[in-house]
Amino acid sequence: MRAARLIKMVLLLQSRPSMTAAELARELEVSERTVTRDAQALSEAGVPVYADRGRAGGYRLIGGYRTRLTGLARGEAEALFLSGVPGALREMGLDDVASAARLKVSAALLPSLRDAPDSAAQRFHLDAPAWFREPETPALLPVIAEAVWDDRRIGVVYRRPGAPSAPAEAPRRRSADEAATVVERDLEPYGLVLKAGVWYLCARVGDGGAFRTYRIDRFDAVEARAEHFSRDPEFGLPRYWAEQAERFARSILRAEVVVRLSPGGVRRLQYAVDPLSAREALAGAGEPDAEGWVTVTVPVESEEVAHTQLTALGPEAEVLAPGSLRERFAADAARLAARYGRGDVS
């Protein structure tokens, strides 16, 4: 355990000019006193860790010290080659760069670990696109990806949701209808997200404006500007995307349905409705009645969508409200009873 922590400490100091004891303690999840002891142990082992005293002090490596990758275990080496997404890199125009990087890392590994890339590739494969759709790479993705890497501002022409695609050679002057559905923006491109085969750009509007999310296949034109922008150090792409995804999921849940669920219905609810809806419904469930059924309030997009989703639960659910939805299920039940109660199979 301590050996792994010491290696991590060296790698942290190798990746940054200097780190305070508090920063190292936070990264290593130990106390500052433990950081001091670990630094002393590394120094005694020949690793040139130097401690700067004073308020602005910290720990750093001196003499250009670099550690090699020969300390990787097999599992670590295999996991390293799982960290990339080959298809996504290819779509962004980074396949050659990534391939060169993998070769360099492979060359630095111990001979006993040289088969790690093939071992990982034969056991795990990421297929990002959703089922039953032909994945399409947005033509402008490589240009945007390059701007993201370089922190370079871009000017874009963006179609609002529902607007038709632009022709191959868009007219220089747009009609009034086109102007209402097409937006021109200056953006600071912060990050790219690939979600179920669809590429999204997370960007800040203008100079220090709000962060917004754009579907890249709705861009009609992208122009990389000459000037760069300074990234907000507080921005975290995974956190931003998670917050946006949850906000979107909540924004479409505009109605509620009250349902009684059998124990089987409780287990199957997460497969019938949106996962966020299922979590909130079950979190607020009451105590089971004498038959073991519970009453829940399910957030839904609309009554029409709820009818389609809850039909999948069959006899394991009973809609209590709204009354109009209950009437629809009662009519469905009557039709099913009439159809299956005929007694003839032909």
Side-chain angles (χ1 to χ4, degrees):
M1 182 69 178
R2 190 190 185 199
R5 189 175 70 243
L6 292 175
I7 293 173
K8 184 176 181 180
M9 183 174 180
V10 173
L11 294 175
L12 285 170
L13 293 174
Q14 188 172 292
S15 64
R16 306 179 195 181
S18 177
M19 294 184 70
T20 66
E23 290 172 334
L24 284 167
R26 185 165 55 252
E27 291 282 354
L28 299 172
E29 298 181 349
V30 295
S31 66
E32 293 186 29
R33 181 172 296 181
T34 299
V35 167
T36 301
R37 289 198 297 265
D38 286 352
Q40 181 65 31
L42 287 171
S43 180
E44 292 174 355
V47 178
V49 177
Y50 181 78
D52 289 316
R53 305 294 180 185
R55 180 177 244 172
Y59 292 92
R60 60 187 175 89
L61 294 175
I62 60 175
Y65 179 86
R66 308 290 294 177
T67 186
R68 295 176 59 85
L69 291 175
T70 51
L72 284 175
R74 168 164 294 277
E76 295 169 331
E78 291 175 342
L80 176 65
F81 288 95
L82 285 175
S83 61
V85 186
L89 291 170
R90 183 171 56 253
E91 292 181 9
M92 289 189 291
L94 300 173
D95 193 36
D96 291 342
V97 176
S99 178
R102 286 193 293 268
L103 285 174
K104 290 179 180 179
V105 173
S106 296
L109 293 175
L110 288 170
S112 60
L113 300 179
R114 295 282 167 81
D115 66 335
D118 293 334
S119 175
Q122 292 301 320
R123 288 167 172 79
F124 301 97
H125 175 67
L126 176 61
D127 185 9
W131 286 103
F132 310 119
R133 65 179 297 167
E134 191 68 27
E136 296 182 3
T137 303
L140 297 171
L141 177 60
V143 178
I144 297 172
E146 185 174 354
V148 169
W149 278 113
D150 292 342
D151 294 338
R152 191 182 298 273
R153 299 178 188 273
I154 58 175
V156 303
V157 178
Y158 180 75
R159 283 176 283 112
R160 296 184 188 276
S165 300
E169 295 184 3
R172 301 186 68 177
R173 303 184 71 177
R174 298 186 181 90
S175 66
D177 290 341
E178 289 175 320
T181 58
V182 175
V183 180
E184 296 184 9
R185 289 279 188 270
D186 284 327
L187 301 176
E188 297 176 350
Y190 267 67
L192 291 166
V193 175
L194 177 60
K195 171 71 172 179
V198 179
W199 284 95
Y200 296 87
L201 172 67
C202 303
R204 174 174 265 180
V205 179
D207 187 4
F211 285 99
R212 295 183 180 174
T213 304
Y214 300 87
R215 275 186 61 146
I216 291 182
D217 57 10
R218 293 200 180 116
F219 284 120
D220 287 336
V222 176
E223 178 186 357
R225 307 295 195 202
E227 64 270 20
H228 296 264
F229 65 92
S230 298
R231 297 179 67 90
D232 182 349
E234 300 298 321
F235 178 84
L237 182 59
R239 182 183 68 252
Y240 170 82
W241 180 257
E243 292 171 351
Q244 292 297 305
E246 182 169 349
R247 185 176 294 119
F248 172 75
R250 291 184 183 278
S251 70
I252 64 175
L253 302 176
R254 302 185 180 93
E256 291 183 343
V257 176
V258 181
V259 187
R260 285 183 71 232
L261 296 173
S262 70
V266 170
R267 291 192 297 270
R268 290 164 52 185
L269 184 65
Q270 62 179 321
Y271 306 110
V273 302
D274 182 87
L276 177 62
S277 298
R279 289 198 302 270
E280 293 193 357
L282 296 177
E287 292 295 323
D289 59 20
E291 298 176 334
W293 289 53
V294 297
T295 299
V296 299
T297 300
V298 185
V300 295
E301 185 174 346
S302 65
E303 184 174 315
E304 186 68 33
V305 171
H307 178 256
T308 301
Q309 293 176 329
L310 296 177
T311 296
L313 297 179
E316 306 303 320
E318 177 189 0
V319 173
L320 303 180
S324 55
L325 183 58
R326 181 178 175 86
E327 290 173 2
R328 294 181 67 171
F329 275 99
D332 290 347
R335 291 171 58 197
L336 285 170
R339 184 172 300 278
Y340 286 100
R342 293 173 182 170
D344 60 324
V345 179
S346 58

